[in-house]
Amino acid sequence: DGRYRIANRSCAAVFGRSPAEMIGLTDFELLDDPALASLYRSHDQKAIEDDQPVYIEREPVPHVDGRLLWCQTIKTRWNMPGDSRTGVLGVSTDISLRVHAEEQLRRESELTALLVRLALSYIDLPVRQLDDTIRASIAELGAFIGAARVSMLRRTISGSLDNIAEWCAPGIHPIGPDIGPATGELGERLARGEIVELPDADERNTVPDRRLAALAIPLMRGREYLGLLGFDWHRDGQRRTPGEVQLLAVFAQMLVNAHVHAEVATALAQQRRRLELVIEGTGAGTWIWWPKTGALEINAQWAAILGYTVAELEPVDFQSWRRLTREDDLAVAEAALAAHAAGQTPVYEARIRMRHKGGHWVWVLSCGRIVERDAEGDVLIYAGTHQDVTAAVLAAERQRLAASVF
C-alpha cells in the first residue's frame, strides 16, 4: 500500500519529521507534488514485479527547507520479518553536490562555447561594424545567462560613466545614457581592476517587487580604468559561480581588446591616408614585398609609371617585377637588396630600367627598407617606392654628352 514501515533519521529529516512520525505515511502524504509521488510509487512496483533491484541514477527529492536534493537510489523487493506483505527496501545516497558540480561544469562549458563563437565575430571586423557587433554580443550573452540587463559603460574624462551599449530583458527599463561617476569604495575597487558583486542593487527602473543583484566588471587597458561591464540579475535568480564570473570577465576583456584594435586600426588608417596624400603629391608608386612567399603589393601609381593599371598586371608577385626589369639591371637591384638585408646599408636603393607598356624603357629609382624580420632574423617584409626618374637621367646624359663635345 506504499506506507512506510521503517525510516532512519536522515530519511525522516528530509520531510521534517522524526522516524516514528514517518511510520504509516505514504509519499502522497509527504510530498506536495502528486506526480513525483507517483514516480516514486512506480519504482516501488517495478522492484516488486521484477523481483530484482531497481537502480535510479538520479531522482529529485524536495527537502522540507525548500532545497531540491538529488539522490541515487536502489530499491529491492523485501519482506519485513513477521509481516507477510511484500514490501520494498530503499537506500538513497545524496548526490546533490555531484549533480550541482556537473551542472556548473555544463553551464560553464556552454558559456565558453558561446564566448568562443562571439570572439570569432570580432576577427577582421571592420571598424564601422564594431558598435553594432558589441550590441549584438551583449544581447546574445545577456539572454543566454538569464540576465535582466547588461550595460557597457565608458568612463569619461570627468570621471562619469556613459552608457554606450545596453540590453534589457522584457519588463526591464534602460538605465539611461548618463550614469554619473562610480564613487566611494565601489569606484575605488573598480579603478583597481577588481570585480565587484552587489547583492542588493538599485531596484528602480525594473519591474515592481523584483530587486536586482549586480555584477560590475571593470574594463581595463593595462592599469587604465576605461569603464565597466555591468550585469543585473533578479535577486531570486540563480547565483553566478566563480567560474562563470571569470568567463564574463574574459568577455569584458574581449570588448576592451576589440575597442583597442579599432582605435589602432583607425589611427593607422588615418596615418596611411596622410602618407598616401604625400605619396600622391610626389607621384611615387609604392610596393610591399613578402620575400618568403613572393607576394608583391603595388599601388596604382606603381603600375601607371609603366603605362599599366594594376588590373592589367595581376596577378602581381616578385616575378612580375623581375619580368619587367631589364636583365642587366636585375643584378644591381638584387645586390642592393642583399646588402640591405645583411645590414650593410640603412636602406635599399637602385636605379633600374623597366619595360613600359609602350615598349620603351623607363628609368625607375627603386627605394625601400626592411620593416619586419622573424625571430631568426630572416626578412619577412620589405616596403618602398618607385619614382620615374627618366627625365632626370636623360637630362644628365645630355649634359654629359655636351660636356664631352667641348
PDB file of all heavy atoms in Angstrom, residues 391-406:
ATOM      1  N   ALA A 391      63.325  61.448 -66.973  1.00  0.00           N
ATOM      2  CA  ALA A 391      63.675  62.802 -67.432  1.00  0.00           C
ATOM      3  C   ALA A 391      64.994  63.255 -66.825  1.00  0.00           C
ATOM      4  O   ALA A 391      65.846  63.847 -67.518  1.00  0.00           O
ATOM      5  CB  ALA A 391      62.551  63.771 -67.050  1.00  0.00           C
ATOM      6  N   ALA A 392      65.192  62.970 -65.533  1.00  0.00           N
ATOM      7  CA  ALA A 392      66.435  63.387 -64.881  1.00  0.00           C
ATOM      8  C   ALA A 392      67.633  62.641 -65.456  1.00  0.00           C
ATOM      9  O   ALA A 392      68.718  63.223 -65.685  1.00  0.00           O
ATOM     10  CB  ALA A 392      66.338  63.150 -63.371  1.00  0.00           C
ATOM     11  N   VAL A 393      67.479  61.339 -65.724  1.00  0.00           N
ATOM     12  CA  VAL A 393      68.577  60.540 -66.281  1.00  0.00           C
ATOM     13  C   VAL A 393      68.929  61.021 -67.680  1.00  0.00           C
ATOM     14  O   VAL A 393      70.121  61.185 -68.023  1.00  0.00           O
ATOM     15  CB  VAL A 393      68.197  59.042 -66.297  1.00  0.00           C
ATOM     16  CG1 VAL A 393      69.231  58.252 -67.097  1.00  0.00           C
ATOM     17  CG2 VAL A 393      68.089  58.510 -64.890  1.00  0.00           C
ATOM     18  N   LEU A 394      67.905  61.281 -68.511  1.00  0.00           N
ATOM     19  CA  LEU A 394      68.167  61.750 -69.878  1.00  0.00           C
ATOM     20  C   LEU A 394      68.799  63.131 -69.875  1.00  0.00           C
ATOM     21  O   LEU A 394      69.692  63.426 -70.690  1.00  0.00           O
ATOM     22  CB  LEU A 394      66.871  61.748 -70.671  1.00  0.00           C
ATOM     23  CG  LEU A 394      66.250  60.368 -70.929  1.00  0.00           C
ATOM     24  CD1 LEU A 394      64.957  60.509 -71.726  1.00  0.00           C
ATOM     25  CD2 LEU A 394      67.230  59.458 -71.663  1.00  0.00           C
ATOM     26  N   ALA A 395      68.349  63.992 -68.947  1.00  0.00           N
ATOM     27  CA  ALA A 395      68.934  65.328 -68.872  1.00  0.00           C
ATOM     28  C   ALA A 395      70.400  65.245 -68.463  1.00  0.00           C
ATOM     29  O   ALA A 395      71.262  65.959 -69.016  1.00  0.00           O
ATOM     30  CB  ALA A 395      68.151  66.186 -67.869  1.00  0.00           C
ATOM     31  N   ALA A 396      70.691  64.373 -67.514  1.00  0.00           N
ATOM     32  CA  ALA A 396      72.085  64.204 -67.085  1.00  0.00           C
ATOM     33  C   ALA A 396      72.934  63.645 -68.212  1.00  0.00           C
ATOM     34  O   ALA A 396      74.103  64.039 -68.388  1.00  0.00           O
ATOM     35  CB  ALA A 396      72.127  63.263 -65.870  1.00  0.00           C
ATOM     36  N   GLU A 397      72.354  62.755 -69.032  1.00  0.00           N
ATOM     37  CA  GLU A 397      73.086  62.177 -70.157  1.00  0.00           C
ATOM     38  C   GLU A 397      73.372  63.241 -71.213  1.00  0.00           C
ATOM     39  O   GLU A 397      74.464  63.289 -71.785  1.00  0.00           O
ATOM     40  CB  GLU A 397      72.289  61.022 -70.759  1.00  0.00           C
ATOM     41  CG  GLU A 397      72.953  60.328 -71.938  1.00  0.00           C
ATOM     42  CD  GLU A 397      74.258  59.623 -71.550  1.00  0.00           C
ATOM     43  OE1 GLU A 397      74.498  59.407 -70.330  1.00  0.00           O
ATOM     44  OE2 GLU A 397      75.056  59.311 -72.448  1.00  0.00           O
ATOM     45  N   ARG A 398      72.385  64.130 -71.451  1.00  0.00           N
ATOM     46  CA  ARG A 398      72.601  65.208 -72.419  1.00  0.00           C
ATOM     47  C   ARG A 398      73.710  66.157 -71.955  1.00  0.00           C
ATOM     48  O   ARG A 398      74.544  66.590 -72.747  1.00  0.00           O
ATOM     49  CB  ARG A 398      71.303  65.973 -72.642  1.00  0.00           C
ATOM     50  CG  ARG A 398      70.270  65.208 -73.476  1.00  0.00           C
ATOM     51  CD  ARG A 398      69.153  66.135 -73.956  1.00  0.00           C
ATOM     52  NE  ARG A 398      68.369  66.630 -72.828  1.00  0.00           N
ATOM     53  CZ  ARG A 398      67.267  66.021 -72.361  1.00  0.00           C
ATOM     54  NH1 ARG A 398      66.840  64.892 -72.932  1.00  0.00           N
ATOM     55  NH2 ARG A 398      66.607  66.538 -71.363  1.00  0.00           N
ATOM     56  N   GLN A 399      73.717  66.436 -70.666  1.00  0.00           N
ATOM     57  CA  GLN A 399      74.757  67.306 -70.138  1.00  0.00           C
ATOM     58  C   GLN A 399      76.144  66.642 -70.275  1.00  0.00           C
ATOM     59  O   GLN A 399      77.136  67.294 -70.578  1.00  0.00           O
ATOM     60  CB  GLN A 399      74.485  67.639 -68.662  1.00  0.00           C
ATOM     61  CG  GLN A 399      73.288  68.564 -68.463  1.00  0.00           C
ATOM     62  CD  GLN A 399      73.034  68.856 -66.992  1.00  0.00           C
ATOM     63  OE1 GLN A 399      73.638  68.234 -66.128  1.00  0.00           O
ATOM     64  NE2 GLN A 399      72.136  69.793 -66.740  1.00  0.00           N
ATOM     65  N   ARG A 400      76.186  65.344 -70.024  1.00  0.00           N
ATOM     66  CA  ARG A 400      77.449  64.621 -70.142  1.00  0.00           C
ATOM     67  C   ARG A 400      77.967  64.660 -71.578  1.00  0.00           C
ATOM     68  O   ARG A 400      79.161  64.885 -71.832  1.00  0.00           O
ATOM     69  CB  ARG A 400      77.277  63.169 -69.671  1.00  0.00           C
ATOM     70  CG  ARG A 400      78.588  62.401 -69.618  1.00  0.00           C
ATOM     71  CD  ARG A 400      78.324  60.924 -69.308  1.00  0.00           C
ATOM     72  NE  ARG A 400      77.605  60.287 -70.391  1.00  0.00           N
ATOM     73  CZ  ARG A 400      78.195  59.845 -71.518  1.00  0.00           C
ATOM     74  NH1 ARG A 400      79.500  60.020 -71.713  1.00  0.00           N
ATOM     75  NH2 ARG A 400      77.481  59.272 -72.461  1.00  0.00           N
ATOM     76  N   LEU A 401      77.039  64.420 -72.533  1.00  0.00           N
ATOM     77  CA  LEU A 401      77.428  64.454 -73.938  1.00  0.00           C
ATOM     78  C   LEU A 401      77.888  65.844 -74.367  1.00  0.00           C
ATOM     79  O   LEU A 401      78.866  65.983 -75.117  1.00  0.00           O
ATOM     80  CB  LEU A 401      76.258  63.981 -74.821  1.00  0.00           C
ATOM     81  CG  LEU A 401      75.884  62.499 -74.704  1.00  0.00           C
ATOM     82  CD1 LEU A 401      74.624  62.212 -75.515  1.00  0.00           C
ATOM     83  CD2 LEU A 401      77.038  61.624 -75.180  1.00  0.00           C
ATOM     84  N   ALA A 402      77.157  66.852 -73.897  1.00  0.00           N
ATOM     85  CA  ALA A 402      77.544  68.226 -74.252  1.00  0.00           C
ATOM     86  C   ALA A 402      78.904  68.551 -73.718  1.00  0.00           C
ATOM     87  O   ALA A 402      79.749  69.203 -74.381  1.00  0.00           O
ATOM     88  CB  ALA A 402      76.501  69.209 -73.721  1.00  0.00           C
ATOM     89  N   ALA A 403      79.173  68.108 -72.498  1.00  0.00           N
ATOM     90  CA  ALA A 403      80.493  68.402 -71.876  1.00  0.00           C
ATOM     91  C   ALA A 403      81.602  67.666 -72.623  1.00  0.00           C
ATOM     92  O   ALA A 403      82.721  68.185 -72.760  1.00  0.00           O
ATOM     93  CB  ALA A 403      80.467  67.973 -70.409  1.00  0.00           C
ATOM     94  N   SER A 404      81.311  66.505 -73.171  1.00  0.00           N
ATOM     95  CA  SER A 404      82.345  65.740 -73.883  1.00  0.00           C
ATOM     96  C   SER A 404      82.690  66.354 -75.218  1.00  0.00           C
ATOM     97  O   SER A 404      83.807  66.203 -75.725  1.00  0.00           O
ATOM     98  CB  SER A 404      81.890  64.269 -74.078  1.00  0.00           C
ATOM     99  OG  SER A 404      80.774  64.210 -74.959  1.00  0.00           O
ATOM    100  N   VAL A 405      81.704  67.075 -75.834  1.00  0.00           N
ATOM    101  CA  VAL A 405      81.949  67.714 -77.130  1.00  0.00           C
ATOM    102  C   VAL A 405      82.932  68.859 -76.980  1.00  0.00           C
ATOM    103  O   VAL A 405      83.831  69.071 -77.804  1.00  0.00           O
ATOM    104  CB  VAL A 405      80.625  68.175 -77.749  1.00  0.00           C
ATOM    105  CG1 VAL A 405      80.903  69.047 -78.986  1.00  0.00           C
ATOM    106  CG2 VAL A 405      79.773  66.984 -78.116  1.00  0.00           C
ATOM    107  N   PHE A 406      82.729  69.627 -75.892  1.00  0.00           N
ATOM    108  CA  PHE A 406      83.590  70.790 -75.687  1.00  0.00           C
ATOM    109  C   PHE A 406      84.738  70.459 -74.737  1.00  0.00           C
ATOM    110  O   PHE A 406      85.446  71.291 -74.295  1.00  0.00           O
ATOM    111  CB  PHE A 406      82.766  71.975 -75.152  1.00  0.00           C
ATOM    112  CG  PHE A 406      81.661  72.382 -76.112  1.00  0.00           C
ATOM    113  CD1 PHE A 406      80.363  71.974 -75.922  1.00  0.00           C
ATOM    114  CD2 PHE A 406      81.976  73.155 -77.219  1.00  0.00           C
ATOM    115  CE1 PHE A 406      79.378  72.375 -76.818  1.00  0.00           C
ATOM    116  CE2 PHE A 406      80.973  73.560 -78.102  1.00  0.00           C
ATOM    117  CZ  PHE A 406      79.663  73.165 -77.897  1.00  0.00           C
TER     118      PHE A 406
END
